Amino acid sequence: MATNSLPMVRALAVRKSYGSNQVLKSISLEVAQGEVLCLLGPSGSGKSTFLRCINHLESIDGGRIYVGEELMGYRQSGDTLHELHPKDIAKQRQSIGMVFQRFNLFPHLTALENVIEAPVGVAGVSKADAVVKAQALLAKVGLQDKADHYPSQLSGGQQQRVAIARALAMEPKLMLFDEPTSALDPELVGDVLDVMRDLAKSGMTMIVVTHEIGFAREVADTVVFMDQGVVVESGNPKQVLDNPQEARTKAFLRSVL
């Protein structure tokens, strides 16, 4: 884990509601550079919403989220926050890779074309350079022989690995994973988790919403258990998974193990 003193992610008293439903109730946490944080909790606990707030796919109703030195989604004037122009938000997002439950690949593009789309179209990388990099990334996720395949010709696990390669193509400083294996058949989960393990070993800062307790135990530096929009318990995997202190954490782990 890197020792740079500035956290990669800093959430301060983040709140988010949909109408009268308060989904996030003053969430505060930090993720150091090079750290892997796994977010666990029952469905509806606010994990995915929090993840989407980090790169401002969801606006927040209170608090602050910083990625590095940048206040995400807003500029501050005195005590008041003003939401940034969508163009500026999109620029902030370029340094954050996100992998979703559903793979969200462009169905009309091949695996290779999916991976080069953002570097060429958003970052202005030459197509030739983007192709070389995309081929290396597809090799990294074990799909160098599938470059010319369309999403419909790939298994779910292969599509998800293309989605990871696509996120990495923008050279992000932070990777967000929103239950990346939950839509996969059980026998395909391992290949995706292997790619994520390798990423963690390479020093990538990662926040992973997951139900894969074994992965969290093995790869996470920090495990955070959320329920009903609050952080119930957090610590290293041994503390939270093997010796939970809170009744809600114990009940959740009993239900999933």
Side-chain angles (χ1 to χ4, degrees):
M1 209 162 81
T3 55
N4 191 312
S5 56
L6 187 70
M8 180 63 79
V9 179
R10 196 160 38 111
L12 305 171
V14 173
R15 301 192 313 279
K16 175 68 183 176
S17 298
Y18 298 103
S20 60
N21 179 22
Q22 199 176 359
V23 181
L24 299 177
K25 304 166 185 170
S26 196
I27 298 283
S28 294
L29 56 80
E30 286 190 358
V31 184
Q33 293 192 35
E35 181 176 3
V36 178
L37 182 141
C38 283
L39 277 173
L40 307 180
S43 294
S45 58
K47 309 179 301 294
S48 291
T49 299
F50 176 66
L51 204 69
R52 292 170 66 85
C53 288
I54 292 172
N55 64 357
H56 206 71
L57 286 173
E58 300 280 355
S59 59
I60 59 177
D61 299 323
R64 309 274 190 279
I65 297 176
Y66 293 89
V67 174
E69 295 176 339
E70 280 196 277
L71 175 61
M72 292 302 296
Y74 300 92
R75 64 178 175 83
Q76 189 163 338
S77 175
D79 291 333
T80 311
L81 291 184
H82 303 278
E83 194 164 18
L84 293 173
H85 188 279
K87 203 164 73 175
D88 296 319
I89 294 169
K91 197 166 181 195
Q92 285 187 327
R93 274 195 205 118
Q94 285 184 32
S95 63
I96 303 171
M98 186 155 187
V99 177
F100 300 87
Q101 279 181 43
R102 300 283 168 188
F103 326 118
N104 290 9
L105 297 176
F106 296 114
H108 63 291
L109 299 180
T110 64
L112 185 83
E113 288 166 342
N114 264 284
V115 176
I116 69 171
E117 176 77 7
V120 173
V122 178
V125 175
S126 78
K127 187 171 179 186
D129 288 346
V131 166
V132 170
K133 178 146 191 226
Q135 287 169 332
L137 286 168
L138 288 171
K140 186 173 183 171
V141 299
L143 293 174
Q144 59 268 53
D145 58 337
K146 304 291 185 188
D148 297 328
H149 286 54
Y150 289 90
S152 61
Q153 298 171 302
L154 301 171
S155 71
Q158 289 168 336
Q159 289 184 61
Q160 193 60 296
R161 285 185 279 153
V162 173
I164 294 172
R166 180 181 62 178
L168 292 173
M170 290 293 282
E171 299 184 359
K173 59 187 180 186
L174 169 67
M175 284 286 285
L176 308 176
F177 292 87
D178 188 8
E179 298 194 24
T181 58
S182 65
L184 301 179
D185 294 331
E187 69 272 17
L188 302 175
V189 167
D191 289 340
V192 173
L193 293 181
D194 284 345
V195 170
M196 293 170 65
R197 278 188 195 93
D198 288 345
L199 258 188
K201 283 180 194 152
S202 76
M204 176 63 75
T205 310
M206 296 161 58
I207 303 178
V208 184
V209 173
T210 185
H211 291 293
E212 301 287 343
I213 303 296
F215 175 83
R217 178 179 275 114
E218 180 193 345
V219 177
D221 297 296
T222 304
V223 172
V224 171
F225 174 69
M226 282 178 67
D227 193 16
Q228 297 177 348
V230 299
V231 171
V232 176
E233 193 160 350
S234 70
N236 67 49
K238 208 159 181 53
Q239 285 172 305
V240 177
L241 300 176
D242 298 337
N243 189 26
Q245 301 302 301
E246 301 292 330
R248 277 192 279 178
T249 317
K250 290 174 186 173
F252 170 76
L253 290 170
R254 268 199 306 273
S255 73
V256 297
L257 291 174

